[in-house]
Amino acid sequence: MQQHPDNSAEDSGYRPPSLLDALIPIVLVIAMLVLAVVLFGADASWGPNQVALLSGAMIAGLIGLKNGYRWSDIEEGINKGIQISLGAILILLAVGAMIGTWILGGTVPAMIYYGLDVIAPQYFYASACLLCALVALSVGSSWTVAGTIGIGLIGIADGLGLSEAITAGAVISGAYFGDKLSPLSDTTNLAPAAAGTTLFAHIRHMLWTTVPSILLALAGFLWLGHDSVSSLQTPEQVANLRAQLGEQFNIGLHLLIPLLVLLVMAVRQMPAFPAIFIGAALGAVFAVIFQPQAVVGLASVTDMSTAMALLKGVWMSMFDGYVSHSGDEVIDSLLSKGGMSSMLNTVWLILSAMTFGGVIERLGLLERLVQSLLGATRNAGSLVITTLGTCLASNVVTGDQYISVILPGRMYRAEFRRRRLAPVNLSRALEDSGTITSPLIPWNSCGAYMAATLGVATLSYLPFALFNLINLALAVAYAMVGFKLERLEEGEGAEGVEPTPLAESLVLDTPHETSESR
């Protein structure tokens, strides 16, 4: 009989992994990550997590060598894992540059200045969530919303004396609600493609978990806002903050133009990296035109021409961010941030996570765990819960949102059909867990991005990402009681269903395009 080298692990000379093989590196990495938090607390993502993830990759690699893989095979998995993350890394660097130029150019100070005057403090958290939800629904990108409006909202919260952690939770809640339901969103298109259903059937089915979740989240943010009234800055303190912003920058509504331009580019579906980099460049132009004194001050030079000082100042803001020297502690902490260099630790974390995830996927360890889980599913509800758990575990283990949507979709699609469950049940489960839990994990590319962009540690905002937490809990509750689990129509076959190659091609063939559209 002729052998086909791509049919199975045995055909290629590889031994399929045992359940113990699959468990060892995953359990050890999770244990090391927990230990890192115990030992280092909030600083766990500044080196300890990276060591744990790379150590896990080496442990998994040793298991692969035991099973007949060559180091070149393992290295191929690492390369593919890192390749998936390159788009996200470029976006991070562009966001760092944009934060620096938008502060220097007055865009972020203007957002804070007018926001302090417009938004009622007791409704701030709910307003922040709702605003981010509407914008994300329009542009289809949670990353764009967090990197633009989210930055300004964090600044406004600081100015009002409100919690940064709750504000970050509100921003992420709104951003992921809009991203999840927007037909422009990449994951909203990816999930039905992986599950084998249509885009709008998928969106309609998601409404059952998504709408109640956002309503409950908004109620929670309203309660948190009223409960925080006692910690607010006094009107005099807020007025003083606005006055100092006006002294340090030439404030005007025209400074919001870079924000509007970026949102228009997002609505027109320009890829994220060039759109954000253009936004950063526009911020630099605004800095030279409208804030020349701040640019020259940042350059800190006395022995060069004004033109060269302006060039040096905007250049510095792109790679090293903006540093405020007003003498006011609140203002200086509010505005001293940004620059590509501020994202380098996050890049380190993402590369480490994707190295581990790439090895795990190449060796088939996560898939081996899922095969064991499938044997334990007894009914439709338990299958959905297993899918939700797999997506969450994939976000933890692989560190990437797209893998956590595609891989479970590919692995469970035939099983859903076999049990005569409509594919919209699978696509909804992929988003209810794969999309929603990604920003809640510090080493996941989404969690790392949100923490770096908003300046709030993942574990600090996690309890306040109300929409994300409620949505997952509601999805589990629906599955347990069998609510809104649609069955296949009469005449729709359950046999002969093969996983679509679309999911694999999206990840392995064009990962950079997918990542740039987050």
Side-chain angles (χ1 to χ4, degrees), residues 272-362:
F273 173 64
I276 292 172
F277 205 88
I278 290 170
L282 188 57
V285 171
F286 270 55
V288 170
I289 296 174
F290 300 112
Q291 317 293 341
Q293 78 290 347
V295 178
V296 173
L298 182 64
S300 300
V301 292
T302 57
D303 57 347
M304 64 175 59
S305 66
T306 301
M308 294 300 290
L310 290 171
L311 177 61
K312 182 179 179 181
V314 295
W315 203 324
M316 287 177 64
S317 71
M318 295 187 79
F319 74 79
D320 208 26
Y322 180 79
V323 180
S324 173
H325 297 290
S326 68
D328 184 283
E329 186 178 345
V330 174
I331 287 285
D332 291 345
S333 64
L334 189 61
L335 300 178
S336 297
K337 59 182 68 177
M340 293 186 185
S341 61
S342 68
M343 299 294 181
L344 294 183
N345 182 72
T346 304
V347 170
W348 179 20
L349 181 60
I350 290 173
L351 289 176
S352 301
M354 297 310 295
T355 297
F356 177 65
V359 175
I360 289 293
E361 185 175 15
R362 179 67 182 87

Side-chain angles (χ1 to χ4, degrees), residues 19-38:
L19 181 58
L20 183 62
D21 288 340
L23 284 172
I24 286 173
I26 293 173
V27 170
L28 286 178
V29 163
I30 292 173
M32 284 188 285
L33 291 169
V34 171
L35 185 60
V37 173
V38 172

Side-chain angles (χ1 to χ4, degrees), residues 89-107:
I89 288 171
L90 290 174
I91 294 170
L92 271 170
L93 295 175
V95 167
M98 187 182 72
I99 292 172
T101 62
W102 278 23
I103 294 176
L104 182 63
T107 298

Side-chain angles (χ1 to χ4, degrees), residues 223-479:
W223 179 79
L224 288 170
H226 282 85
D227 196 50
S228 301
V229 170
S230 60
S231 64
L232 294 175
Q233 297 269 35
T234 65
E236 292 76 17
Q237 290 172 314
V238 173
N240 181 59
L241 179 59
R242 295 181 79 238
Q244 291 199 52
L245 287 170
E247 290 174 9
Q248 198 165 342
F249 297 93
N250 300 315
I251 300 292
L253 288 172
H254 60 284
L255 299 178
L256 301 178
I257 290 175
L259 171 63
L260 298 176
V261 170
L262 182 59
L263 293 178
V264 168
M265 288 190 289
V267 169
R268 296 178 67 86
Q269 289 292 282
M270 177 180 285
F273 173 64
I276 292 172
F277 205 88
I278 290 170
L282 188 57
V285 171
F286 270 55
V288 170
I289 296 174
F290 300 112
Q291 317 293 341
Q293 78 290 347
V295 178
V296 173
L298 182 64
S300 300
V301 292
T302 57
D303 57 347
M304 64 175 59
S305 66
T306 301
M308 294 300 290
L310 290 171
L311 177 61
K312 182 179 179 181
V314 295
W315 203 324
M316 287 177 64
S317 71
M318 295 187 79
F319 74 79
D320 208 26
Y322 180 79
V323 180
S324 173
H325 297 290
S326 68
D328 184 283
E329 186 178 345
V330 174
I331 287 285
D332 291 345
S333 64
L334 189 61
L335 300 178
S336 297
K337 59 182 68 177
M340 293 186 185
S341 61
S342 68
M343 299 294 181
L344 294 183
N345 182 72
T346 304
V347 170
W348 179 20
L349 181 60
I350 290 173
L351 289 176
S352 301
M354 297 310 295
T355 297
F356 177 65
V359 175
I360 289 293
E361 185 175 15
R362 179 67 182 87
L363 301 181
L365 301 184
L366 188 61
E367 194 162 353
R368 177 64 184 85
L369 284 177
V370 170
Q371 289 171 359
S372 299
L373 291 172
L374 271 176
T377 58
R378 302 302 179 198
N379 52 45
S382 64
L383 178 60
V384 172
I385 292 173
T386 300
T387 305
L388 294 169
T390 302
C391 293
L392 174 58
S394 181
N395 265 324
V396 172
V397 172
T398 68
D400 186 77
Q401 170 183 254
Y402 295 116
I403 294 177
S404 302
V405 170
I406 292 168
L407 190 61
R410 184 174 62 198
M411 291 188 293
Y412 287 118
R413 179 173 173 175
E415 186 66 19
F416 269 72
R417 287 273 185 176
R418 189 182 72 79
R419 300 194 186 199
R420 303 203 59 79
L421 287 171
V424 289
N425 299 298
L426 174 57
S427 66
R428 186 178 73 185
L430 297 177
E431 290 240 62
D432 282 344
S433 183
T435 300
I436 290 301
T437 63
S438 58
L440 308 182
I441 298 158
W443 53 90
N444 187 283
S445 57
C446 294
Y449 174 87
M450 292 297 166
T453 301
L454 300 175
V456 181
T458 308
L459 295 181
S460 296
Y461 69 64
L462 188 155
F464 304 108
L466 300 183
F467 168 74
N468 306 62
L469 297 172
I470 293 170
N471 196 127
L472 180 60
L474 206 58
V476 172
Y478 280 15

